[in-house]
Amino acid sequence: MKETAEVRELKVNRYIIIDGEPCRIVSITTSKPGKHGDAKARIEAIGVFDGQKRSVVHPVKHKVQVPIIDKRTAQVISVMGDTAQLMDLETYDTFEMPIPDEFKGKIEAGKEVQYIQALGKRKIIRV
């Protein structure tokens, strides 16, 4: 799910969609308006799921896509190598998710984890 917002409404540590990927904004710099144009904003952001740095330049009145990022809690049902089978504690949906490198060895069956969900992708963020 996504919504739109004007570039001037964005703030650091909020989210924006760049190249179809949800990204967390690291910095925003704006230039003064020119003789024949609007002020421009340069947005630097890091991809939530892939960790890639991206930047984009838009006029401050330009509308951009903002992802709706859902933070949820799930219980670990089982661990199979680098994959964990999880059950959402609100909806009781079960699904499999790859275990990020920083949590390998920390995730065990029965424990609870926090994950984020946006644009059909999921990622474990806290154990």
Side-chain angles (χ1 to χ4, degrees), residues 75-78 108-112:
Q75 183 174 6
V76 180
I77 297 172
S78 66
E108 301 163 18
K111 278 193 170 180
E112 287 185 7

Side-chain angles (χ1 to χ4, degrees), residues 5 14 25-26 35-36 45-46 48 52 56 58 63 65 81 99 113 121 123-124:
R14 296 267 177 87
I25 298 172
V26 178
K35 188 174 182 182
H36 299 290
I46 294 178
V48 173
Q52 274 193 332
V56 67
H58 287 301
K63 290 209 183 303
Q65 303 261 304
I99 300 172
V113 296
K121 296 180 182 177
K123 180 182 177 185
I124 297 171

Side-chain angles (χ1 to χ4, degrees), residues 53-95:
K53 195 170 186 181
R54 294 177 171 84
S55 64
V56 67
V57 178
H58 287 301
V60 291
K61 292 181 181 174
H62 185 75
K63 290 209 183 303
V64 292
Q65 303 261 304
V66 178
I68 296 173
I69 296 206
D70 202 6
K71 289 184 180 160
R72 306 183 73 95
T73 307
Q75 183 174 6
V76 180
I77 297 172
S78 66
V79 178
M80 299 138 315
D82 291 347
T83 308
Q85 187 176 16
L86 304 174
M87 179 181 70
D88 189 291
L89 292 176
E90 258 180 63
T91 62
Y92 301 111
D93 288 341
T94 57
F95 51 90

Side-chain angles (χ1 to χ4, degrees), residues 24 64 109 115:
R24 189 174 57 81
V64 292
Y115 71 96

